[in-house]
């Protein structure tokens, strides 16, 4: 099997794994660039990455968590591993918060544990004791593993919990939504083939799982970046679908006037406005995906058709807002008797 390889002195890897947590930032107003940098300042020795093109984006520096525990395995194999898991957080347009944790695994490791200095100079690498059953571990990670085994989701979730308690956040989100989890594994593509998505599933409890094949030399951070992007757009779709499902479209006529020159907006308009104000402009697939992995979005556009579904949802929202605006406009231009 050909190997995944990151830059630096880390050994060649045959498996990369991670999990992404995505949620609406619990704040009434979106954070500006300065506040985003304050929120994501996880390390004093490294600055937050800020970008304004093609959209406002902030990403924290990586943090490392040391681990020494068994790996999940679908066939029950007991494989102990030691190393560090990398974690980071990102904020898109000051509104959607994501935390991501990931690591890479070489095909084999030493028979004994080495000093921590050995692992610290290989950030984001977890080395097994002996040979790695990579297929069994990949499936074990997607299945979630058992108590006591390496759970990358706990690291991503812990970072998210820490950020959600930040004093910058007033805990007053503009709309109701649920967080989602995307768990992923990436194995080497066979025979020099390009990247591919072998499986993308929607599970219960807001969980999604993705199994990737990526070319030799693909850094684990690039695979994590692709999955961050996928998780962001899946969350947007999920949130808007649920918003529309919770509204009785077409069942409520515009409300009567409640005072001189004033009108109470219909419930449909009140429910849909937060989506227009805070979500509809966020759709921008592949904005920050590595060039070598960007073709994977083409597969998602074919099936299940992410952008087609998004465009249909956006048009549905705009149609509803237009329908509820027409009676008001008609009354405004209607001549007085």
């Amino acid at each position: 099997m050909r190997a995944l390889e990151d830059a630096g002195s880390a050994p060649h890897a045959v498996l990369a794994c991670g999990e992404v947590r995505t949620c609406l930032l619990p704040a009434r107003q979106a954070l500006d660039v300065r506040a985003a940098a304050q929120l994501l300042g996880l390390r004093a020795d490294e600055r937050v990455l800020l970008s304004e093109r093609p959209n406002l984006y902030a990403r924290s520096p990586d943090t490392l968590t040391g681990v020494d525990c068994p790996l999940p395995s679908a066939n029950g194999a007991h494989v102990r591993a030691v190393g560090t898991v990398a974690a980071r957080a990102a904020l898109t347009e000051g509104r959607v918060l994501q935390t991501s944790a990931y690591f890479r695994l070489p095909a084999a490791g030493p028979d004994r544990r080495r000093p921590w200095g050995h692992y610290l100079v290989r950030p984001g690498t977890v080395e097994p004791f002996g040979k790695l059953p990579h297929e069994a571990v990949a499936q074990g990670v997607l299945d979630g593993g058992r108590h006591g085994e390496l759970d990358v989701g706990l690291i991503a979730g812990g970072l998210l919990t820490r950020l959600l308690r930040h004093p910058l956040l007033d805990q007053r989100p503009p709309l109701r939504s649920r967080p989602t989890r995307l768990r992923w594994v990436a194995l080497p593509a066979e025979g020099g083939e390009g990247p591919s998505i072998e499986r993308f599933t929607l599970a219960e409890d807001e969980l999604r799982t993705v199994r990737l094949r990526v070319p030799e030399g693909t850094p684990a951070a690039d695979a994590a970046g692709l999955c961050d992007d996928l998780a962001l757009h899946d969350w947007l779709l999920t949130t808007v679908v649920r918003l529309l499902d919770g509204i009785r479209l077409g069942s409520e006529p515009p409300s009567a006037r409640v005072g001189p020159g004033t009108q109470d907006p219909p419930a449909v308009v009140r429910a849909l406005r937060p989506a227009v104000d805070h979500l509809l402009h966020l759709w921008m697939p592949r904005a920050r995906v590595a060039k070598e992995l960007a073709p994977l979005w083409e597969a998602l556009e074919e099936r299940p058709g992410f952008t087609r579904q998004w465009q249909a949802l956006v048009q549905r929202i705009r149609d509803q807002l237009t329908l509820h605006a027409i009676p008001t406009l008609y009354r405004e231009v209607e001549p007085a008797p």
Side-chain angles (χ1 to χ4, degrees), residues 23-70:
C23 71
L24 184 70
L25 192 73
R28 190 66 182 174
Q29 299 296 328
L31 298 188
D32 59 21
V33 173
R34 188 172 182 177
Q38 186 177 349
L39 173 70
L40 302 182
L42 303 181
R43 292 173 51 179
D45 62 334
E46 196 167 341
R47 299 177 62 182
V48 173
L49 172 67
L50 300 173
S51 174
E52 296 184 357
R53 301 289 186 275
N55 57 8
L56 183 61
Y57 177 81
R59 193 180 75 199
S60 75
D62 282 0
T63 62
L64 298 179
T65 299
V67 296
D68 181 351
C69 56

Side-chain angles (χ1 to χ4, degrees), residues 264-279:
D264 185 30
V268 170
V269 175
R270 294 196 302 270
L272 293 179
R273 181 170 180 174
V276 177
D277 291 342
H278 300 281
L279 300 182

Side-chain angles (χ1 to χ4, degrees), residues 265-320:
V268 170
V269 175
R270 294 196 302 270
L272 293 179
R273 181 170 180 174
V276 177
D277 291 342
H278 300 281
L279 300 182
L280 297 193
H281 62 291
L282 300 184
W283 192 262
M284 203 170 294
R286 294 185 288 188
R288 292 177 177 84
V289 174
K291 181 179 179 181
E292 293 76 15
L293 300 180
L296 291 177
W297 260 104
E298 297 176 7
L300 292 170
E301 299 294 20
E302 291 182 8
R303 196 177 71 173
F306 269 42
T307 296
R308 288 197 306 273
Q309 184 181 5
W310 178 257
Q311 291 172 343
L313 293 171
V314 170
Q315 189 60 51
R316 192 178 176 195
I317 290 173
R318 289 174 175 166
D319 289 345
Q320 287 296 317

